[in-house]
């Protein structure tokens, strides 16, 4: 008889006992230390370390309630994260943490400890640069997204997977925070830290043509079961150290539009670029960083385009995809979606309930006002002209237009 | 202990015993007669009639194999049909047969007998006309399709339903017969009865721009979980008598694009119009029928447009739908999809494995050749210019262009 046959919210000592009982990871007599290290809003994350060795692991534990607000939240997100990590790990080896154990009863996902890596967002805020980041992220997306599309996966098998990954509660969070609240005043907790209400009113709440485009993108997100996407792929979900990139936290995974992941990466690379662009401090790393991050955005988009077309050509089972025009149309649709999503992410992370540190930690209020203005203007440019934004040049042209507003 | 605790393929005497055991529909001592009346390819359909009264019912029984080819086919289609009939019956009372009983173990769906109705396709082939048919079908679609969209249904509830109606095997049949085989020679059992291979080769197999558009429509069908659609809404799935229309056989139901149902109705009204158009026999009902069926197509499309916008305005919960521009965009997308689907249906029912009697029973080979040519030309017009086909006028303009080819 074990204590772990019915779900309860586990604490550090429970986790130590749990890990000893369920896994052979540590030796039987190893002394273990456990600390809760979660900084997210939803789950509890524990690191368990052997005091005798350097071995360690992570336990991600889902409670039946949201950690920050206490509202009920389906523990099923833990199952989805475990399955998505296994799925991505097969398709893109080494790019996600290894899964050691998953327990649907206790909602415990035990996985590789990546404490030797750092969170990419924090590194970019500090103007650190990394070789090949754009290429690595593009390869990860091509490798993990395309295989579960109808172009490549058997269409019966795909429908089985769609069912397995239906993720209503976490999708609802995205639908609300990304697609709705930033545009409809009074629905969410919108705020700008350095610009006045009038700006938001004029640029977001009163712009009916923008609302129409946001509605189109929202309907796509709600209905387009294109591929098993990560669903929350910002720079806080990416761990990095020199020579290694790891993508974590796919608990928002579901079958949605591929452009959702691609666009999130692009927007979250523009945030540090915008931060550096408005920075008048004379930081010595700034110029190099601006050059590098622009190059990384280019490299990401162009590697994605090339890799996508190549993988589609080599692996497609869908007979229509034998035609090059069909493959190019398919890529173009993903790229248009990506530009729209990048625009939404730029806006919602500036004005919405979940802001990014890249912008909020800009100390000078004038610089921060300029950054907020740039994020929202670029966001609008990308949303409204997304049908023409299909390569890296067009992103930088949109950025120029936003700067000249 | 009963014989009906494990699935087996039931015959007439099993059905009689089953109905007596499971339902209170007939009196305990009524003598029952049972006959198998199915004319479809997939299931067994029994009519059970009381010899003492006028009471009767229908038992639709799914075997674990496809009736015509013997290939395994999931009996789950029977559950989907039962649930879809109940769903539609609530939303559009009187427009579908009443469900008396559903048994997932025996895969038996027991429902209202509609033997006093006739199959619409046969009636249209005989140039019979019916008042308000266009309006009734448009209302049925507006009433049954819109409530399960994200515009109206709670978005969590909708995802639960999407999961319940995932229907891989029956979708695969449609994907193959409608979207793939008619365009790619050698993949299916294509044939024309009165035109030569050269026509198909020129107009369908070699037309790369047509393939691209078919591929786009196919990807939409595979991924766009817009609403719970009927999925097989041709005139053979519609029963009619004066003053009553009943829509049957929703076993292909799943969350797909609404235009799939709308376009199928339109195409299947054009088949008898084309049949009458090429008819040189001097049938006295022909001229009235042509007038009536054109009027019915108009009435269907225009009633659908008006009813759709009105229901959306009154019932939408999605905040963006408060904006009239969003509602009109949403309708336009459905109409474009409908035109594309109508085009695909016109083509596949002419050249594909499942032809329509409206065309195949045209006796004169010259007339039939003209009908086949018209179906395929109109089909291509609708597919290739679907972005501009959003009202009934544009359908008849496309028909004129097809006639002048």
């Amino acid at each position: 008889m074990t204590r772990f046959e019915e779900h309860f919210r586990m604490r550090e000592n429970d986790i130590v006992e749990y890990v000893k009982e369920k896994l052979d990871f540590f030796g039987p007599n190893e002394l273990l230390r456990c600390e809760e290290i979660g900084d997210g809003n939803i789950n509890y994350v524990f690191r368990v370390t052997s005091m005798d060795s350097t071995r360690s692991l992570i336990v991600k534990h889902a409670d039946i309630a949201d950690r920050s607000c206490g509202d009920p939240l389906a523990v099923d997100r833990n199952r989805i994260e475990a399955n998505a990590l296994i799925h991505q790990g097969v398709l893109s080896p080494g790019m996600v943490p290894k899964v050691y154990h998953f327990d649907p009863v206790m909602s415990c996902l035990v996985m590789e400890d990546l404490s030797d890596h750092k969170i990419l967002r924090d590194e970019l805020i500090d103007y650190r640069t990394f070789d090949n980041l754009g290429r690595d992220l593009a390869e990860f997306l091509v490798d993990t997204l395309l295989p579960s599309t109808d172009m490549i996966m058997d269409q019966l098998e795909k429908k089985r997977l769609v069912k397995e990954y239906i993720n209503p509660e976490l999708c609802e969070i995205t639908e609300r925070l990304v697609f709705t609240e930033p545009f409809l005043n009074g629905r969410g907790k919108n705020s700008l830290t350095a610009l006045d209400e009038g700006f938001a009113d004029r640029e977001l709440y009163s712009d009916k043509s923008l609302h129409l485009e946001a509605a189109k993108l929202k309907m796509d997100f709600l209905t387009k079961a294109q591929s098993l996407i990560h669903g929350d792929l910002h720079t806080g979900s990416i761990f990095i150290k020199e020579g290694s990139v790891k993508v974590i936290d796919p608990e928002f995974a579901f079958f949605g539009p591929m452009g959702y992941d691609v666009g999130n990466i692009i927007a979250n690379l523009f945030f540090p670029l915008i931060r550096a662009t408005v920075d008048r401090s004379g930081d010595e790393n700034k110029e190099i960083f601006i050059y590098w991050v622009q190059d990384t955005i280019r490299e990401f988009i162009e590697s994605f385009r090339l890799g996508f077309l190549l993988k589609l050509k080599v692996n497609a089972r869908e007979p229509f995809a034998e035609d090059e025009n069909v493959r190019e149309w398919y890529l173009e649709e993903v790229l248009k979606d990506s530009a729209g999503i990048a625009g939404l992410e730029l806006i919602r992370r500036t004005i919405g309930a979940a802001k990014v540190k890249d912008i909020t930690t800009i100390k000078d209020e004038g610089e921060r006002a300029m950054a907020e203005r740039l994020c929202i203007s670029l966001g609008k440019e990308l949303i409204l002209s997304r049908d023409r934004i299909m390569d890296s040049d067009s992103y930088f042209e949109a950025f120029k237009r936003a700067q000249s507003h």
Side-chain angles (χ1 to χ4, degrees), chain A residues 358-373:
Chain A
D358 318 52
I359 305 301
T360 57
T361 60
I362 297 173
K363 288 201 191 75
D364 181 273
E365 196 172 335
E367 291 176 14
R368 202 166 63 249
M370 204 183 300
E372 291 186 341
R373 190 184 295 271

Side-chain angles (χ1 to χ4, degrees), chain A residues 7 63 85 94 120 143 185 196 201 220 222 294 319 356 381:
Chain A
H7 187 278
D63 190 19
L85 281 177
L120 178 59
D143 288 344
N185 195 19
D196 62 21
D201 195 41
D220 252 18
L222 283 160
Q294 286 179 333
V356 282
E381 283 286 344

